[in-house]
Amino acid sequence: MSANDFIVRKIEIADAKLLFKMVQNNRARLIDYFPVSTGAMHNIDSTKAYIQDKIKQAEKKESFSFAIICPKESRPIGMLFIKSLDWRIPKAELAYYIDKEYEGKGIVSKALEWLVNYAFNELKINKLFLRVAPDNKGSKRVAEKNGFVVEGILRNDFKQGDGTIIDLLYYGRIRK
């Protein structure tokens, strides 16, 4: 699968079974950076409830969740998020993850490019930001490929799945 062989679309209830399976297969590597999402998806029913909540949040324009879909297999292979929206500025945080099987193929970089364009052009967001763990080399590379620059370090800003509180790099990008 190449960086051009995927679809990004809004998350759907029909994704629950395969999304849960993907999260289960990647839980050990996702729990530190996505403790809320992984904690909410502990079986198929809870994954359906998680998706329903994400759909309601999108209807209220509180956050937006998208699945990265492998069309050959018709299954989610990753997720993209627009969250922490502040409509007064307007600004938003972006987040993303992908199945370990598809890492390093440029898919997340291309999917993030799509998400940035959606946020700037459809939602009219002025500033986008990412919070990335300093040791997450892949995520830093994806951010930088998409024009995000480090604006600073947020000290003791995030609690990982095991309760450890870590610093984060704050990446930003402004709409031109």
Side-chain angles (χ1 to χ4, degrees), residues 9-23:
R9 64 161 169 71
K10 291 179 180 176
I11 193 169
E12 301 171 355
I13 296 295
D15 295 327
K17 183 177 179 181
L18 295 173
L19 179 61
F20 172 69
K21 183 177 179 182
M22 182 197 58
V23 168

Side-chain angles (χ1 to χ4, degrees), residues 15-94:
D15 295 327
K17 183 177 179 181
L18 295 173
L19 179 61
F20 172 69
K21 183 177 179 182
M22 182 197 58
V23 168
Q24 276 298 95
N25 291 340
N26 291 271
R27 189 170 297 278
R29 58 190 277 280
L30 293 178
I31 192 121
D32 279 344
Y33 304 117
F34 292 90
V36 174
S37 295
T38 54
M41 292 187 263
H42 50 271
N43 59 41
I44 294 171
D45 288 337
S46 65
T47 303
K48 285 180 185 176
Y50 171 84
I51 293 171
Q52 287 171 333
D53 188 48
K54 293 297 178 189
I55 292 169
K56 287 178 187 173
Q57 289 173 10
E59 290 167 356
K60 296 179 192 175
K61 296 188 180 203
E62 296 172 346
S63 73
F64 300 88
S65 302
F66 300 90
I68 303 170
I69 303 293
C70 173
K72 291 177 186 172
E73 300 172 29
S74 296
R75 71 178 181 95
I77 59 167
M79 291 290 298
L80 302 165
F81 303 93
I82 301 173
K83 59 185 194 169
S84 305
L85 283 144
D86 181 345
W87 289 105
R88 295 172 301 124
I89 294 184
K91 70 177 181 176
E93 179 178 7
L94 305 183

Side-chain angles (χ1 to χ4, degrees), residues 115-143:
L115 190 66
V116 166
N117 287 328
Y118 179 85
F120 283 155
N121 299 321
E122 300 297 320
L123 300 178
K124 304 301 183 202
I125 300 295
N126 187 50
K127 178 175 179 146
L128 297 171
F129 66 95
L130 304 165
R131 297 178 311 139
V132 178
D135 65 346
N136 191 337
K137 292 176 185 172
S139 194
K140 292 188 321 188
R141 191 169 42 254
V142 167

